[in-house]
C-alpha cells in the first residue's frame, strides 16, 4: 500500500473514519461526502438510511447520534454544558443494597517475607490454623483473626492462613482488610479458588460489581461452588449494565475525538487552500508586472543604440570579401621566382 502512497497513518485515519460512519451514518448525507455516497449507492448498490430531517443550523444538517437520537455535537458548546453532559453520562441507576463503606484500619501483620520458617515453626503455624478454624466455626471472628495472625508470623508462606483470615475479616465487615489478605494469598498461589472467592465477596461488599463478577468467574473455573453461582446470578446483571454504560461512554468519546480530528483536518486543508490561492495570486501579479515592464526594457535597450544584428552581419561579410580580393591582387603582382627567362643565350 505504501508504494501507492497510502501510509499506515492514512489507513488508521480511514479506519477511524469508517468507525465513525458505523456509529453515525448520517455523515454520508453531507455535501463533502457526496462522492462516497455515489460510490456506495451507484457502484456497490448499497442501501443507505434516510438523511436526518433536523436542520437547525441553516442549510447544514444537525447530525444525530444513532444511539441516543440527540445531536452528535453542536457547532459551539460552552465548558459548562460539557461538564453537565459528563455528569449526566456518569449517572447510572444500580441497586447498591448491601454495599458498605470500606474499613480504614491500619494494615494487618503480613509476616516477614525474608524469614525462612523452621520445621517446628511450620508445625506450630498449622496448629494456629487449626485453632483459627475452630474459632471461625464458633463465630469468634476476632479470635480467628488472632490465631491466623499468629500462624502468619511463624510462617507467612501458607496460602490458607491468609485466605482464612481474609474470610474472618469479611465476617467482621472489613472488606479492605479481606482484600489485602486475598491479594497476598494469590501472590503465594495464583490458582487459589478460596482467595478469589474472598476477593470477590469483599468487592461485592464495596459495590465493585465488575471486579467482583470477574473474580467470581475465575474462582468458578478453578473450583465450582454453588454459593458463588448464586452470587454471580445476583451481581452479573449489575456488572453488565456498568460495562455497557462504560462502552457507550467510550464510544461517544471516540466519536467526539474523530469528529474533532476531522474538523482539524478540514481546517488545515482550508488553510492550505487559502495559502495556495494567495501564492497563485502573487505569481499572477508578478507575471503581469513583468509583462508590462518587458516592452520598456526593449525600448531602453534600443535607445542606447543597440546595432541591428542583420546589418552588422552584412557589414562584416562585406569587409571579409574586400580583404579576400586585396589578397588576390597582391598575389598577382608578386614575381614568379622559379620562372626561367627565355631570352638568355646559353652559348
Amino acid at each position: 500500500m505504501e508504494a501507492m502512497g497510502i501510509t499506515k497513518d492514512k489507513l488508521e485515519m480511514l479506519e477511524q473514519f469508517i468507525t465513525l460512519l458505523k456509529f453515525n451514518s448520517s455523515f454520508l448525507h453531507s455535501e463533502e461526502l457526496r462522492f462516497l455516497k455515489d460510490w456506495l449507492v451507484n457502484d456497490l448498490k448499497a442501501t443507505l438510511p434516510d438523511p436526518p430531517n433536523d436542520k437547525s443550523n441553516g442549510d447544514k444538517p444537525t447530525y444525530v447520534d444513532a444511539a441516543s437520537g440527540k445531536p452528535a455535537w453542536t457547532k459551539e458548546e460552552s465548558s459548562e454544558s460539557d461538564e453537565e453532559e459528563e455528569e449526566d453520562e456518569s449517572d447510572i441507576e444500580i441497586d447498591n443494597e448491601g454495599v458498605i463503606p470500606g474499613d480504614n484500619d491500619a494494615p494487618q501483620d503480613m509476616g516477614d517475607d525474608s524469614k525462612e520458617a523452621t520445621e517446628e515453626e511450620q508445625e506450630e503455624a498449622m496448629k494456629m490454623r487449626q485453632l483459627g478454624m475452630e474459632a471461625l466455626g464458633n463465630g469468634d471472628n476476632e479470635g480467628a483473626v488472632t490465631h491466623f495472625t499468629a500462624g502468619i508470623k511463624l510462617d507467612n508462606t501458607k496460602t490458607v492462613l491468609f485466605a482464612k483470615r481474609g474470610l474472618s475479616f469479611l465476617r467482621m465487615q472489613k472488606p479492605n482488610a479481606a482484600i489485602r489478605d486475598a491479594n497476598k494469598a494469590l501472590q503465594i498461589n495464583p490458582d487459589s479458588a478460596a482467595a478469589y472467592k474472598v476477593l470477590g465477596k469483599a468487592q461485592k461488599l464495596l459495590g465493585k460489581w465488575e471486579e467482583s463478577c470477574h473474580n467470581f468467574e475465575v474462582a468458578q473455573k478453578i473450583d465450582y461452588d454453588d454459593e458463588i453461582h448464586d452470587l454471580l446470578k445476583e451481581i452479573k446483571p449489575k456488572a453488565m449494565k456498568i460495562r455497557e454504560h462504560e462502552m457507550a461512554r467510550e464510544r461517544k468519546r471516540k466519536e467526539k475525538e474523530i469528529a474533532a480530528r476531522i474538523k482539524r483536518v478540514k481546517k488545515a486543508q482550508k488553510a492550505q487552500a487559502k495559502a495556495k490561492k494567495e501564492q497563485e495570486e502573487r505569481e499572477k501579479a508578478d507575471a503581469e508586472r513583468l509583462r508590462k515592464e518587458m516592452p520598456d526594457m526593449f525600448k531602453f535597450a534600443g535607445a542606447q543604440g543597440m546595432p541591428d544584428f542583420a546589418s552588422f552581419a552584412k557589414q562584416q561579410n562585406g569587409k571579409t570579401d574586400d580583404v579576400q580580393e586585396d589578397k588576390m591582387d597582391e598575389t598577382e603582382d608578386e614575381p614568379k621566382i622559379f620562372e626561367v627567362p627565355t631570352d638568355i643565350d646559353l652559348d
Side-chain angles (χ1 to χ4, degrees):
M1 298 296 287
E2 292 185 358
M4 300 171 62
I6 303 176
T7 62
K8 184 178 180 182
D9 293 339
K10 292 180 180 179
L11 286 175
E12 290 178 353
M13 290 185 66
L14 177 60
E15 182 179 2
Q16 293 176 352
F17 179 66
I18 293 175
T19 301
L20 176 62
L21 292 179
K22 287 182 179 180
F23 288 121
N24 191 353
S25 59
S26 60
F27 286 114
L28 289 171
H29 299 287
S30 62
E31 185 65 24
E32 294 86 347
L33 296 180
R34 175 182 291 179
F35 69 96
L36 179 58
K37 180 180 177 181
D38 291 342
W39 176 63
L40 292 173
V41 175
N42 298 328
D43 297 338
L44 300 184
K45 307 302 180 183
T47 302
L48 302 182
D50 295 332
N53 295 324
D54 186 10
K55 295 187 178 181
S56 57
N57 294 328
D59 295 331
K60 296 182 179 180
T62 301
Y63 300 114
V64 178
D65 179 76
S68 62
K70 298 180 180 180
W73 71 82
T74 56
K75 187 175 182 180
E76 294 181 358
E77 294 182 354
S78 64
S79 58
E80 294 180 358
S81 63
D82 290 340
E83 292 177 358
E84 291 177 357
E85 183 179 355
E86 291 295 332
E87 290 177 358
D88 292 338
E89 289 182 352
S90 63
D91 293 339
I92 180 173
E93 295 182 0
I94 296 291
D95 182 9
N96 289 322
E97 183 179 357
V99 174
I100 64 173
D103 48 299
N104 298 316
D105 295 345
Q108 60 270 35
D109 194 337
M110 295 291 182
D112 186 0
D113 291 336
S114 62
K115 177 185 175 183
E116 186 174 350
T118 63
E119 291 184 3
E120 291 80 6
E121 288 175 331
Q122 292 179 18
E123 292 177 1
E124 187 64 23
M126 288 298 97
K127 291 180 181 179
M128 291 297 104
R129 170 189 175 277
Q130 185 61 33
L131 292 174
M133 293 296 294
E134 292 176 0
L136 196 61
N138 295 328
D140 183 8
N141 299 315
E142 293 183 1
V145 168
T146 300
H147 291 302
F148 291 133
T149 302
I152 289 171
K153 289 181 179 180
L154 292 168
D155 182 8
N156 73 338
T157 64
K158 299 293 188 290
T159 304
V160 65
L161 292 174
F162 288 102
K164 293 302 181 183
R165 189 175 69 172
L167 181 58
S168 303
F169 280 128
L170 270 179
R171 294 184 178 182
M172 296 169 65
Q173 299 290 286
K174 294 184 177 182
N176 286 330
I179 289 174
R180 288 192 288 269
D181 273 348
N183 286 331
K184 180 65 176 179
L186 290 172
Q187 288 179 10
I188 301 170
N189 179 14
D191 295 325
S192 174
Y196 278 113
K197 293 175 185 178
V198 171
L199 186 58
K201 289 179 180 179
Q203 291 165 337
K204 177 179 178 294
L205 278 177
L206 294 173
K208 298 180 179 181
W209 308 113
E210 289 183 280
E211 296 91 333
S212 176
C213 183
H214 169 74
N215 288 311
F216 282 155
E217 288 174 343
V218 175
Q220 289 294 79
K221 291 179 181 178
I222 298 172
D223 181 22
Y224 182 84
D225 188 330
D226 289 334
E227 179 191 6
I228 302 301
H229 173 75
D230 294 338
L231 290 175
L232 272 173
K233 288 178 62 177
E234 176 188 347
I235 69 172
K236 196 165 186 177
K238 300 177 182 180
M240 291 299 297
K241 189 174 183 179
I242 294 174
R243 289 177 188 175
E244 292 172 358
H245 179 71
E246 292 298 326
M247 289 175 63
R249 288 185 61 185
E250 180 65 15
R251 175 176 56 78
K252 290 181 180 180
R253 186 191 67 79
K254 287 184 177 180
E255 284 182 4
K256 291 179 180 179
E257 182 180 341
I258 294 172
R261 181 174 296 183
I262 292 175
K263 184 177 181 180
R264 290 195 299 269
V265 170
K266 287 183 177 181
K267 185 177 180 180
Q269 291 175 342
K270 185 177 180 180
Q272 185 178 7
K274 181 180 179 182
K276 183 178 179 181
K277 182 178 180 181
E278 291 175 352
Q279 178 66 20
E280 291 175 350
E281 290 177 352
R282 285 195 297 268
E283 292 176 354
K284 184 177 180 181
D286 291 341
E288 181 67 18
R289 178 176 57 80
L290 289 174
R291 187 185 67 79
K292 292 180 179 179
E293 292 178 355
M294 288 295 288
D296 294 337
M297 292 175 63
F298 288 124
K299 182 179 180 181
F300 175 78
Q304 298 298 322
M306 291 182 66
D308 181 68
F309 180 78
S311 300
F312 178 77
K314 183 176 181 182
Q315 181 180 359
Q316 292 299 317
N317 290 334
K319 288 182 178 180
T320 302
D321 295 340
D322 294 341
V323 170
Q324 290 177 350
E325 291 177 359
D326 291 342
K327 287 183 178 180
M328 292 178 63
D329 294 341
E330 291 177 359
T331 302
E332 292 177 357
D333 295 340
E334 289 180 356
K336 298 179 180 179
I337 299 174
F338 298 102
E339 183 178 356
V340 178
T342 57
D343 57 346
I344 296 177
D345 185 7
L346 296 177
D347 296 333

Coordinates of all heavy atoms in Angstrom, one line a residue, residues 131-206:
L131 N -6.6 -23.9 65.3 CA -7.3 -23.1 66.3 C -8.1 -22.0 65.7 O -9.2 -21.7 66.1 CB -6.3 -22.5 67.3 CG -5.5 -23.5 68.2 CD1 -4.5 -22.7 69.0 CD2 -6.5 -24.2 69.1
G132 N -7.6 -21.4 64.7 CA -8.3 -20.3 64.0 C -9.6 -20.9 63.3 O -10.7 -20.2 63.3
M133 N -9.5 -22.1 62.7 CA -10.7 -22.7 62.1 C -11.8 -23.0 63.1 O -13.0 -22.8 62.8 CB -10.3 -23.9 61.3 CG -9.4 -23.7 60.1 SD -10.2 -22.8 58.8 CE -11.5 -23.9 58.3
E134 N -11.3 -23.4 64.3 CA -12.3 -23.7 65.3 C -13.0 -22.5 65.8 O -14.2 -22.4 66.0 CB -11.6 -24.4 66.5 CG -11.1 -25.8 66.2 CD -10.3 -26.4 67.4 OE1 -10.2 -25.7 68.4 OE2 -9.8 -27.5 67.2
A135 N -12.2 -21.4 66.0 CA -12.8 -20.1 66.4 C -13.8 -19.6 65.3 O -14.9 -19.1 65.6 CB -11.7 -19.1 66.6
L136 N -13.4 -19.8 64.0 CA -14.2 -19.3 62.9 C -15.5 -20.1 62.9 O -16.6 -19.5 62.7 CB -13.5 -19.5 61.6 CG -14.0 -18.8 60.4 CD1 -14.0 -17.2 60.6 CD2 -13.2 -19.1 59.2
G137 N -15.4 -21.4 63.2 CA -16.6 -22.2 63.2 C -17.6 -21.9 64.4 O -18.8 -22.0 64.3
N138 N -17.0 -21.3 65.4 CA -17.8 -20.9 66.6 C -18.3 -19.5 66.5 O -18.9 -19.0 67.4 CB -17.0 -21.1 67.9 CG -16.6 -22.6 68.1 OD1 -17.4 -23.5 67.8 ND2 -15.5 -22.8 68.7
G139 N -18.0 -18.8 65.4 CA -18.5 -17.5 65.2 C -17.6 -16.4 65.9 O -17.9 -15.2 66.0
D140 N -16.4 -16.9 66.4 CA -15.5 -16.0 67.1 C -14.5 -15.4 66.0 O -13.4 -15.9 65.9 CB -14.7 -16.7 68.2 CG -13.8 -15.8 69.0 OD1 -13.8 -14.6 68.7 OD2 -13.0 -16.3 69.8
N141 N -15.0 -14.5 65.3 CA -14.2 -13.9 64.2 C -12.9 -13.2 64.7 O -11.8 -13.4 64.0 CB -15.0 -13.0 63.4 CG -16.2 -13.6 62.7 OD1 -16.1 -14.7 62.2 ND2 -17.4 -13.0 62.8
E142 N -13.0 -12.5 65.7 CA -11.8 -11.8 66.2 C -10.8 -12.8 66.7 O -9.5 -12.7 66.5 CB -12.2 -10.8 67.3 CG -13.0 -9.6 66.9 CD -13.3 -8.7 68.0 OE1 -12.8 -8.9 69.1 OE2 -14.0 -7.7 67.7
G143 N -11.2 -13.9 67.4 CA -10.3 -14.9 67.9 C -9.7 -15.6 66.7 O -8.5 -16.0 66.7
A144 N -10.5 -15.8 65.7 CA -9.9 -16.5 64.5 C -8.8 -15.6 63.9 O -7.8 -16.1 63.5 CB -11.0 -16.7 63.4
V145 N -9.0 -14.3 63.8 CA -8.0 -13.4 63.2 C -6.7 -13.5 64.1 O -5.6 -13.5 63.5 CB -8.5 -11.9 63.2 CG1 -7.4 -11.0 62.9 CG2 -9.6 -11.8 62.1
T146 N -6.9 -13.5 65.4 CA -5.7 -13.6 66.3 C -4.9 -14.9 66.0 O -3.7 -14.8 65.9 CB -6.2 -13.6 67.8 OG1 -6.9 -12.4 68.0 CG2 -5.0 -13.7 68.7
H147 N -5.6 -16.0 65.9 CA -4.9 -17.3 65.7 C -4.2 -17.3 64.3 O -3.1 -17.8 64.2 CB -5.8 -18.5 65.9 CG -6.3 -18.7 67.3 ND1 -5.4 -18.9 68.3 CD2 -7.5 -18.7 67.8 CE1 -6.1 -19.1 69.4 NE2 -7.4 -19.0 69.2
F148 N -4.9 -16.9 63.3 CA -4.4 -16.9 61.9 C -3.2 -15.9 61.9 O -2.2 -16.2 61.2 CB -5.4 -16.5 60.9 CG -6.5 -17.5 60.7 CD1 -7.8 -17.2 60.7 CD2 -6.2 -18.9 60.6 CE1 -8.8 -18.1 60.5 CE2 -7.2 -19.8 60.4 CZ -8.5 -19.5 60.3
T149 N -3.2 -14.8 62.5 CA -2.1 -13.9 62.5 C -0.9 -14.5 63.2 O 0.2 -14.3 62.7 CB -2.5 -12.6 63.2 OG1 -3.7 -12.0 62.6 CG2 -1.4 -11.6 63.2
A150 N -1.1 -15.2 64.3 CA 0.0 -15.9 65.0 C 0.6 -16.9 64.1 O 1.9 -17.0 64.0 CB -0.5 -16.6 66.3
G151 N -0.2 -17.6 63.3 CA 0.4 -18.6 62.4 C 1.2 -17.9 61.3 O 2.2 -18.4 60.8
I152 N 0.7 -16.7 60.8 CA 1.4 -16.0 59.7 C 2.7 -15.5 60.2 O 3.7 -15.5 59.4 CB 0.5 -14.8 59.2 CG1 -0.7 -15.4 58.4 CG2 1.2 -13.8 58.4 CD1 -1.8 -14.4 58.1
K153 N 2.8 -15.1 61.5 CA 4.1 -14.6 62.0 C 5.1 -15.7 62.0 O 6.3 -15.5 61.9 CB 3.9 -14.0 63.4 CG 3.1 -12.7 63.4 CD 3.0 -12.2 64.8 CE 2.3 -10.8 64.9 NZ 2.1 -10.3 66.3
L154 N 4.6 -16.9 62.3 CA 5.6 -18.1 62.3 C 6.0 -18.5 60.9 O 7.1 -18.8 60.6 CB 4.9 -19.3 63.0 CG 4.7 -19.1 64.5 CD1 3.7 -20.2 65.0 CD2 6.0 -19.1 65.3
D155 N 5.0 -18.5 59.9 CA 5.3 -18.9 58.6 C 4.3 -18.2 57.6 O 3.1 -18.6 57.6 CB 5.2 -20.4 58.5 CG 5.5 -20.9 57.1 OD1 6.0 -20.1 56.2 OD2 5.3 -22.2 56.8
N156 N 4.8 -17.2 56.9 CA 3.8 -16.5 56.0 C 3.9 -17.0 54.6 O 3.6 -16.2 53.6 CB 4.1 -15.0 56.1 CG 5.4 -14.6 55.3 OD1 6.3 -15.5 55.1 ND2 5.5 -13.4 55.0
T157 N 4.2 -18.3 54.4 CA 4.2 -18.8 53.1 C 3.0 -19.8 52.8 O 2.9 -20.4 51.8 CB 5.5 -19.7 52.8 OG1 5.5 -20.8 53.7 CG2 6.7 -18.8 53.0
K158 N 2.1 -19.8 53.8 CA 0.9 -20.7 53.7 C -0.3 -19.9 53.2 O -0.8 -18.9 53.8 CB 0.6 -21.3 55.1 CG 1.7 -22.1 55.6 CD 1.9 -23.4 54.8 CE 2.8 -24.4 55.4 NZ 4.2 -23.9 55.4
T159 N -0.8 -20.2 52.0 CA -1.9 -19.6 51.4 C -3.2 -19.6 52.3 O -3.9 -18.6 52.4 CB -2.2 -20.2 50.0 OG1 -1.1 -20.2 49.2 CG2 -3.4 -19.5 49.3
V160 N -3.4 -20.8 52.9 CA -4.6 -21.0 53.6 C -4.7 -20.0 54.8 O -5.8 -19.6 55.2 CB -4.7 -22.4 54.1 CG1 -3.5 -22.8 55.1 CG2 -6.0 -22.8 54.8
L161 N -3.6 -19.6 55.4 CA -3.7 -18.7 56.6 C -4.2 -17.4 56.2 O -5.0 -16.8 56.9 CB -2.3 -18.6 57.2 CG -1.7 -19.8 57.9 CD1 -0.3 -19.6 58.3 CD2 -2.6 -20.2 59.1
F162 N -3.8 -16.9 55.0 CA -4.2 -15.6 54.5 C -5.7 -15.7 54.0 O -6.5 -14.8 54.3 CB -3.3 -15.0 53.4 CG -2.0 -14.6 53.9 CD1 -0.9 -15.4 53.8 CD2 -1.8 -13.4 54.5 CE1 0.4 -15.0 54.2 CE2 -0.6 -13.0 55.0 CZ 0.5 -13.8 54.8
A163 N -6.0 -16.7 53.3 CA -7.4 -16.9 52.8 C -8.4 -17.0 54.0 O -9.4 -16.3 53.9 CB -7.5 -18.1 51.9
K164 N -8.1 -17.8 55.0 CA -9.0 -17.9 56.1 C -9.1 -16.6 57.0 O -10.1 -16.3 57.5 CB -8.6 -19.1 57.0 CG -8.7 -20.4 56.3 CD -10.2 -20.7 55.8 CE -10.3 -22.0 55.2 NZ -11.7 -22.2 54.7
R165 N -7.9 -16.0 57.1 CA -8.0 -14.7 57.9 C -8.8 -13.7 57.1 O -9.6 -12.9 57.7 CB -6.6 -14.2 58.2 CG -6.6 -13.0 59.2 CD -5.3 -12.5 59.6 NE -4.5 -11.9 58.4 CZ -3.3 -11.3 58.6 NH1 -2.8 -11.2 59.8 NH2 -2.7 -10.8 57.5
G166 N -8.7 -13.7 55.8 CA -9.5 -12.8 54.9 C -11.0 -13.1 55.1 O -11.8 -12.1 55.1
L167 N -11.3 -14.4 55.2 CA -12.7 -14.7 55.4 C -13.2 -14.2 56.8 O -14.4 -13.7 56.9 CB -12.9 -16.3 55.3 CG -14.3 -16.8 55.5 CD1 -15.3 -16.2 54.5 CD2 -14.3 -18.3 55.5
S168 N -12.3 -14.3 57.8 CA -12.7 -13.7 59.1 C -12.9 -12.2 59.0 O -13.9 -11.7 59.6 CB -11.6 -14.0 60.1 OG -11.3 -15.4 60.2
F169 N -12.1 -11.5 58.3 CA -12.3 -10.1 58.1 C -13.6 -9.8 57.4 O -14.3 -8.8 57.7 CB -11.1 -9.5 57.4 CG -9.9 -9.2 58.2 CD1 -8.7 -9.7 57.8 CD2 -10.0 -8.5 59.4 CE1 -7.5 -9.5 58.6 CE2 -8.8 -8.3 60.2 CZ -7.6 -8.8 59.8
L170 N -14.0 -10.6 56.4 CA -15.2 -10.4 55.7 C -16.4 -10.5 56.7 O -17.3 -9.7 56.7 CB -15.4 -11.5 54.7 CG -14.9 -11.2 53.3 CD1 -15.1 -12.4 52.4 CD2 -15.5 -10.0 52.7
R171 N -16.4 -11.5 57.6 CA -17.5 -11.6 58.6 C -17.5 -10.5 59.6 O -18.5 -10.3 60.2 CB -17.3 -13.0 59.3 CG -17.5 -14.2 58.3 CD -17.4 -15.5 59.1 NE -17.6 -16.6 58.1 CZ -17.7 -17.9 58.5 NH1 -17.5 -18.2 59.8 NH2 -17.9 -18.8 57.6
M172 N -16.4 -9.8 59.7 CA -16.3 -8.6 60.6 C -16.7 -7.4 59.8 O -16.5 -6.3 60.4 CB -14.9 -8.5 61.2 CG -14.5 -9.7 62.1 SD -12.8 -9.7 62.6 CE -12.7 -8.2 63.5
Q173 N -17.1 -7.5 58.6 CA -17.5 -6.4 57.7 C -16.3 -5.4 57.5 O -16.4 -4.2 57.5 CB -18.6 -5.6 58.3 CG -19.9 -6.4 58.5 CD -20.6 -6.7 57.1 OE1 -21.2 -5.8 56.5 NE2 -20.5 -7.9 56.7
K174 N -15.1 -6.0 57.2 CA -13.9 -5.3 56.9 C -13.4 -5.7 55.6 O -12.4 -6.5 55.5 CB -12.8 -5.5 58.0 CG -13.2 -4.9 59.4 CD -12.1 -5.1 60.4 CE -12.5 -4.5 61.7 NZ -11.4 -4.5 62.7
P175 N -14.0 -5.3 54.5 CA -13.7 -5.7 53.2 C -12.3 -5.4 52.7 O -11.6 -6.1 52.0 CB -14.7 -5.1 52.3 CG -15.2 -3.9 53.0 CD -15.2 -4.3 54.5
N176 N -11.8 -4.2 53.1 CA -10.4 -3.7 52.7 C -9.4 -4.6 53.3 O -8.4 -5.0 52.6 CB -10.2 -2.3 53.1 CG -11.0 -1.3 52.2 OD1 -11.3 -1.6 51.0 ND2 -11.4 -0.2 52.7
A177 N -9.5 -5.0 54.5 CA -8.6 -5.9 55.1 C -8.6 -7.3 54.5 O -7.6 -8.0 54.2 CB -8.8 -6.1 56.6
A178 N -9.9 -7.7 54.1 CA -10.0 -9.0 53.4 C -9.4 -9.0 52.1 O -8.7 -10.0 51.6 CB -11.5 -9.3 53.3
I179 N -9.4 -7.9 51.4 CA -8.8 -7.8 50.0 C -7.3 -7.8 50.1 O -6.7 -8.5 49.3 CB -9.3 -6.4 49.4 CG1 -10.7 -6.5 48.9 CG2 -8.4 -6.1 48.2 CD1 -11.3 -5.2 48.4
R180 N -6.7 -7.2 51.2 CA -5.3 -7.3 51.4 C -4.9 -8.8 51.6 O -3.8 -9.2 51.0 CB -4.9 -6.4 52.5 CG -4.9 -4.9 52.2 CD -4.2 -4.1 53.3 NE -4.9 -4.1 54.6 CZ -5.8 -3.2 54.9 NH1 -6.1 -2.2 54.1 NH2 -6.5 -3.3 56.1
D181 N -5.6 -9.5 52.4 CA -5.2 -10.9 52.6 C -5.4 -11.8 51.4 O -4.6 -12.6 51.1 CB -6.1 -11.5 53.8 CG -5.5 -11.2 55.2 OD1 -4.3 -10.8 55.2 OD2 -6.1 -11.4 56.2
A182 N -6.5 -11.5 50.6 CA -6.8 -12.3 49.4 C -5.7 -12.0 48.4 O -5.2 -13.0 47.7 CB -8.1 -11.9 48.8
N183 N -5.2 -10.8 48.2 CA -4.2 -10.5 47.3 C -2.9 -11.2 47.7 O -2.1 -11.6 46.8 CB -4.0 -9.0 47.2 CG -5.1 -8.3 46.4 OD1 -5.7 -8.9 45.5 ND2 -5.4 -7.1 46.7
K184 N -2.6 -11.2 49.0 CA -1.4 -11.8 49.5 C -1.4 -13.3 49.2 O -0.4 -14.0 48.8 CB -1.2 -11.6 51.0 CG 0.1 -12.2 51.6 CD 1.3 -11.6 51.0 CE 2.6 -12.2 51.7 NZ 3.8 -11.7 51.1
A185 N -2.6 -13.9 49.4 CA -2.8 -15.3 49.2 C -2.5 -15.7 47.7 O -1.9 -16.7 47.4 CB -4.1 -15.8 49.6
L186 N -3.0 -14.8 46.8 CA -2.8 -15.0 45.4 C -1.4 -14.8 44.9 O -1.0 -15.3 43.9 CB -3.8 -14.1 44.6 CG -5.3 -14.5 44.7 CD1 -6.1 -13.4 44.1 CD2 -5.5 -15.8 44.0
Q187 N -0.7 -14.0 45.7 CA 0.8 -13.8 45.4 C 1.5 -15.2 45.6 O 2.4 -15.6 44.9 CB 1.4 -12.7 46.2 CG 1.0 -11.3 45.8 CD 1.6 -10.3 46.7 OE1 2.5 -10.5 47.5 NE2 1.2 -9.0 46.5
I188 N 1.1 -15.8 46.7 CA 1.7 -17.1 47.0 C 1.2 -18.2 46.1 O 2.0 -19.0 45.6 CB 1.4 -17.5 48.5 CG1 1.9 -16.4 49.4 CG2 2.0 -18.9 48.9 CD1 1.4 -16.6 50.9
N189 N -0.1 -18.2 45.8 CA -0.7 -19.3 44.9 C -1.7 -18.6 44.0 O -2.9 -18.4 44.4 CB -1.4 -20.4 45.8 CG -2.0 -21.4 44.9 OD1 -1.7 -21.5 43.7 ND2 -2.8 -22.3 45.5
P190 N -1.3 -18.3 42.8 CA -2.3 -17.6 41.8 C -3.5 -18.5 41.5 O -4.4 -17.9 40.9 CB -1.4 -17.4 40.6 CG 0.0 -17.5 41.1 CD 0.0 -18.5 42.2
D191 N -3.5 -19.7 41.8 CA -4.6 -20.6 41.5 C -5.5 -21.0 42.7 O -6.2 -22.0 42.7 CB -4.1 -21.9 40.9 CG -3.4 -21.7 39.5 OD1 -3.9 -20.8 38.8 OD2 -2.4 -22.4 39.2
S192 N -5.5 -20.1 43.7 CA -6.3 -20.3 44.9 C -7.7 -19.9 44.7 O -8.0 -18.7 44.7 CB -5.6 -19.6 46.1 OG -6.5 -19.7 47.3
A193 N -8.6 -20.8 44.6 CA -10.0 -20.5 44.4 C -10.6 -19.8 45.6 O -11.4 -18.9 45.6 CB -10.8 -21.8 44.1
A194 N -10.1 -20.3 46.8 CA -10.6 -19.7 48.1 C -10.2 -18.2 48.1 O -11.0 -17.4 48.6 CB -9.9 -20.4 49.3
A195 N -9.0 -17.8 47.7 CA -8.6 -16.4 47.7 C -9.5 -15.6 46.7 O -9.9 -14.5 47.0 CB -7.1 -16.3 47.3
Y196 N -9.8 -16.2 45.5 CA -10.6 -15.4 44.6 C -12.0 -15.3 45.1 O -12.7 -14.2 44.9 CB -10.7 -16.2 43.3 CG -9.5 -15.9 42.4 CD1 -8.6 -16.9 42.1 CD2 -9.3 -14.7 41.8 CE1 -7.5 -16.7 41.2 CE2 -8.3 -14.4 40.9 CZ -7.4 -15.5 40.7 OH -6.3 -15.2 39.8
K197 N -12.5 -16.2 45.9 CA -13.9 -16.1 46.5 C -13.9 -15.0 47.5 O -14.8 -14.2 47.5 CB -14.3 -17.4 47.1 CG -14.5 -18.6 46.1 CD -14.8 -19.9 46.8 CE -14.9 -21.0 45.8 NZ -15.1 -22.3 46.5
V198 N -12.9 -15.0 48.4 CA -12.8 -13.9 49.4 C -12.7 -12.5 48.7 O -13.4 -11.6 49.1 CB -11.6 -14.1 50.3 CG1 -11.4 -12.9 51.2 CG2 -11.8 -15.4 51.2
L199 N -11.9 -12.5 47.7 CA -11.7 -11.2 47.0 C -13.0 -10.7 46.3 O -13.4 -9.6 46.4 CB -10.6 -11.4 45.9 CG -10.2 -10.1 45.1 CD1 -9.6 -9.1 46.1 CD2 -9.1 -10.5 44.1
G200 N -13.7 -11.7 45.7 CA -15.0 -11.3 45.0 C -16.0 -10.9 46.1 O -16.8 -9.9 45.8
K201 N -16.1 -11.6 47.2 CA -17.1 -11.2 48.2 C -16.8 -9.8 48.8 O -17.7 -9.0 49.1 CB -17.1 -12.2 49.3 CG -17.7 -13.6 48.9 CD -17.7 -14.6 50.0 CE -18.3 -15.9 49.6 NZ -18.3 -16.9 50.6
A202 N -15.5 -9.5 49.0 CA -15.1 -8.2 49.6 C -15.4 -7.1 48.6 O -15.9 -6.1 49.0 CB -13.6 -8.2 49.9
Q203 N -15.2 -7.3 47.3 CA -15.5 -6.3 46.3 C -17.0 -6.2 46.2 O -17.5 -5.0 45.9 CB -14.9 -6.7 45.0 CG -13.3 -6.6 45.0 CD -12.7 -7.3 43.8 OE1 -13.3 -8.2 43.2 NE2 -11.5 -6.9 43.5
K204 N -17.8 -7.2 46.4 CA -19.2 -7.1 46.4 C -19.7 -6.2 47.5 O -20.6 -5.4 47.3 CB -19.8 -8.5 46.5 CG -21.3 -8.5 46.6 CD -21.8 -10.0 46.6 CE -23.4 -10.0 46.8 NZ -23.8 -9.4 48.0
L205 N -19.1 -6.4 48.7 CA -19.5 -5.5 49.8 C -19.2 -4.0 49.5 O -19.9 -3.2 50.0 CB -18.7 -5.9 51.1 CG -19.3 -7.1 51.9 CD1 -18.4 -7.4 53.0 CD2 -20.7 -6.8 52.4
L206 N -18.2 -3.8 48.7 CA -17.8 -2.4 48.4 C -18.6 -1.8 47.2 O -18.4 -0.7 46.8 CB -16.3 -2.3 48.2 CG -15.4 -2.5 49.4 CD1 -14.0 -2.6 49.0 CD2 -15.6 -1.5 50.5

